[in-house]
Amino acid sequence: MPRKTRTTLFIILAFLFLGLTGCQGATEVHEEATAEPAEEVAPAPKDASVMSEETVEENYCLDCHGDKDRLIDTAKPFVEVVSENEGAG
Amino acid sequence: MAPLEPWEKVLVDAEIFPTTAHGQISCLECHKGIQDPDKEVAHTDLVVQPSEDAGSNCSECHPVISNMFPDSLHAAQDGYWTQLNARSTPEDHPEIEEMFGNHCESCHTSCGDCHVSQPRWTGGGFVSGHVFEKEPSMTKNCTACHGSRVGNEYLGKHEDINADVHFRQGRMKCVDCHTGHEMHGQNTGCSYCHAEMPESEFAPSDHRYDDDDLQFPTCESCHWDIANGESEVEMHQQHGDKLSCQVCHSVSYTSCDGCHVQISEETGNPFFTTEGDYLTFIIGRNPIQSEQKPYEYVTLRHIPVAKDAYDYYGEDLLSNFDALPTWAYSTPHNIQLNTPQTESCNACHGNAELFLTADKVAEEELTANASVIVETIPPAVGEMEADEEGEE
């Protein structure tokens, strides 16, 4: 095989090799990206200014106001106010 | 509407509320108080109704509505003052303001009264476990206050009187016509929301039939073909601009007499008494005729005002009592396609029973109602034709 032909063939093979390995790398990166979508779609961190204290501390408000039995136990005695209105309002 | 149990009024839906947008905000940020397991300590400086200060608590996320809502009829109650000012003189306003604070101000409405809780006037309590509802409940919010007249008419609670066709067949709720824009006072002009629009020239509404702004809703907002004269119904063409829609399409509705207010000597609580309420259907002259309400005849409702209504607070506080009719422009919410009036021409023509004639008005209210009393009943159709032939 003439030297010029060998050189040309070498250059073609080299480009082919580089091209294939380059594509392979890109595919792997793409697969990695789609394999872990959770990172891409995970909710953004909440704004600190509106972040609930309850997420980091005990929420005594909700503990009580979300518990029917506790509310019944702690409710002030019901005082019935008899309306003195007469007739349609 | 049955009142809620005390615990029921303040029971938060602990599963759903924390997942909502408002559930992301600390309880203390709106309600103040202290994070503490002891109830009394936790409730130190508690703010029960945070939206009373919407400018501080709601405006960060809802700036446009928070800015204009204080001028809305539900918040400012300007409709009351329009009537009170017209019937009184400034010298009597201190006493009237005291009366207003004791008896009328309880109808003032905050954001939370529509979007979180039942109105305080009705005993309060969360509608949906403190979950903020974008659309108020028709029965737990709207008719909880507007019940004795509008609610009973619209929902068909009067015996033998059908519910309004918009509810009965259309299943329409209050907010389908009375939109958030109206409720929030956004009638006052486009520029409130759309900065690119010219500055609004409209002042906030000062009563619910105010024509000076973009007052909605009207029947014609949906039934525009009738307003445009394009209806194929002959009666619409004949009467379209002379009669309000309710003259033909409404049935009996509630009128009230003589509301008097005072403070109970026994309990110290304010209370009212009304002399009576009864069903009426009365057609009279239009007291607020305008370009938007050109009708010559409208339905009138007797409102419970009386010359001595506020005598507990001072003598003759309504010294201009005759400035406004006691038979007031009314839009009964019990619309029907077919009514006794639509049965024939002479169901109304020549039928004095339907019209507000002087003999139906209390003697002491004759002057006040001079503008709405019908002097001459529209003649029966047969007579009308005979008269026309006679003239020819």
Side-chain angles (χ1 to χ4, degrees):
Chain A
M1 186 182 291
R3 189 176 175 185
K4 191 177 177 182
T5 307
R6 271 187 293 163
T7 305
T8 305
L9 191 60
F10 176 77
I11 290 169
I12 290 170
L13 286 172
F15 271 109
L16 197 61
F17 174 77
L18 288 170
L20 285 172
T21 52
C23 289
Q24 190 181 13
T27 305
E28 281 170 3
V29 169
H30 180 68
E31 282 172 357
E32 278 175 12
T34 54
E36 296 178 34
E39 280 188 18
E40 297 286 323
V41 297
K46 288 171 187 165
D47 183 344
S49 65
V50 296
M51 195 165 174
S52 158
E53 288 176 16
E54 292 83 343
T55 57
V56 290
E57 291 176 9
E58 183 76 9
N59 185 346
Y60 296 113
C61 308
L62 199 58
D63 286 350
C64 183
H65 280 269
D67 185 337
K68 175 182 166 181
D69 294 328
R70 277 185 69 179
L71 286 176
I72 291 171
D73 291 341
T74 56
K76 285 180 182 168
F78 180 64
V79 180
E80 189 178 2
V81 179
V82 179
S83 172
E84 294 166 79
N85 297 332
E86 288 178 28
Chain B
M1 193 175 67
L4 299 174
E5 294 291 332
W7 61 266
E8 206 174 6
K9 290 180 181 178
V10 294
L11 179 64
V12 176
D13 189 326
E15 282 186 25
I16 299 197
F17 178 66
T19 68
T20 65
H22 291 93
Q24 303 303 310
I25 304 168
S26 156
C27 307
L28 271 54
E29 196 162 314
C30 296
H31 289 283
K32 309 304 176 198
I34 296 169
Q35 275 291 353
D36 193 279
D38 181 82
K39 178 188 166 187
E40 299 304 325
V41 176
H43 286 186
T44 306
D45 297 329
L46 183 74
V47 177
V48 177
Q49 303 275 352
S51 63
E52 276 298 338
D53 186 7
S56 299
N57 292 313
C58 310
S59 63
E60 190 178 337
C61 298
H62 306 282
V64 174
I65 293 172
S66 299
N67 182 40
M68 67 185 64
F69 184 67
D71 287 332
S72 73
L73 291 178
H74 272 90
Q77 297 182 278
D78 280 351
Y80 289 69
W81 280 109
T82 298
Q83 306 290 315
L84 289 168
N85 287 339
R87 289 195 171 100
S88 63
T89 56
E91 298 80 60
D92 292 327
H93 284 189
E95 288 87 353
I96 291 179
E97 281 172 19
E98 185 190 357
M99 179 283 301
F100 187 89
N102 286 337
H103 301 277
C104 310
E105 217 164 59
S106 57
C107 288
H108 159 80
T109 310
S110 69
C111 312
D113 286 321
C114 292
H115 296 289
V116 183
S117 303
Q118 297 179 157
R120 279 160 281 178
W121 189 83
T122 64
F126 300 147
V127 170
S128 305
H130 202 277
V131 173
F132 285 59
E133 298 289 351
K134 184 177 173 66
E135 183 181 300
S137 157
M138 182 163 70
T139 53
K140 291 180 178 174
N141 295 110
C142 308
T143 64
C145 290
H146 301 277
S148 61
R149 285 176 285 277
V150 171
N152 287 346
E153 291 161 11
Y154 191 69
L155 301 171
K157 292 191 173 178
H158 292 299
E159 198 173 346
D160 298 329
I161 299 179
N162 280 338
D164 192 296
V165 68
H166 297 95
F167 176 65
R168 189 161 36 89
Q169 292 190 357
R171 309 312 293 173
M172 288 170 68
K173 293 166 284 186
C174 306
V175 294
D176 289 326
C177 292
H178 299 281
T179 63
H181 273 63
E182 183 195 354
M183 296 299 101
H184 296 147
Q186 283 168 300
N187 287 337
T188 47
C190 311
S191 63
Y192 265 92
C193 301
H194 304 283
E196 72 280 11
M197 300 292 284
E199 188 69 22
S200 170
E201 60 192 64
F202 302 114
S205 299
D206 63 0
H207 63 92
R208 65 194 157 122
Y209 295 125
D210 194 350
D211 263 349
D212 293 337
D213 58 14
L214 306 176
Q215 180 71 24
F216 285 101
T218 65
C219 303
E220 294 90 337
S221 304
C222 291
H223 300 281
W224 53 268
D225 58 324
I226 299 168
N228 290 347
E230 294 174 16
S231 169
E232 293 177 359
V233 177
E234 189 188 346
M235 287 302 108
H236 288 159
Q237 294 168 7
Q238 293 272 348
H239 295 104
D241 57 348
K242 288 184 182 158
L243 310 181
S244 72
C245 307
Q246 289 83 3
V247 167
C248 294
H249 293 291
S250 171
V251 289
S252 295
Y253 47 84
T254 305
S255 279
C256 300
D257 286 347
C259 182
H260 294 81
V261 295
Q262 56 185 303
I263 302 291
S264 168
E265 288 179 8
E266 195 177 331
T267 63
N269 293 327
F271 71 97
F272 65 81
T273 54
T274 46
E275 287 169 3
D277 61 283
Y278 45 92
L279 289 171
T280 48
F281 180 86
I282 292 289
I283 302 167
R285 301 193 78 84
N286 183 359
I288 51 172
Q289 207 166 15
S290 66
E291 191 178 343
Q292 284 190 53
K293 299 178 182 68
Y295 327 112
E296 196 174 332
Y297 294 97
V298 298
T299 44
L300 301 173
R301 190 196 299 270
H302 194 273
I303 54 174
V305 67
K307 194 169 171 52
D308 57 353
Y310 312 134
D311 272 7
Y312 177 84
Y313 291 90
E315 198 177 336
D316 199 24
L317 293 181
L318 298 180
S319 52
N320 286 337
F321 182 74
D322 293 338
L324 296 172
T326 59
W327 284 91
Y329 183 99
S330 179
T331 49
H333 281 54
N334 53 15
I335 298 300
Q336 318 288 334
L337 176 62
N338 298 310
T339 66
Q341 304 89 274
T342 62
E343 284 178 6
S344 68
C345 301
N346 287 340
C348 296
H349 283 265
N351 184 0
E353 270 187 32
L354 296 188
F355 292 89
L356 186 72
T357 46
D359 61 299
K360 294 190 185 76
V361 179
E363 197 176 340
E364 65 275 18
E365 295 180 8
L366 279 170
T367 308
N369 291 293
S371 64
V372 293
I373 288 173
V374 179
E375 302 279 353
T376 310
I377 306 299
V381 169
E383 292 170 22
M384 197 158 55
E385 286 166 353
D387 287 348
E388 284 169 4
E389 283 170 14
E391 283 173 14
E392 286 168 10

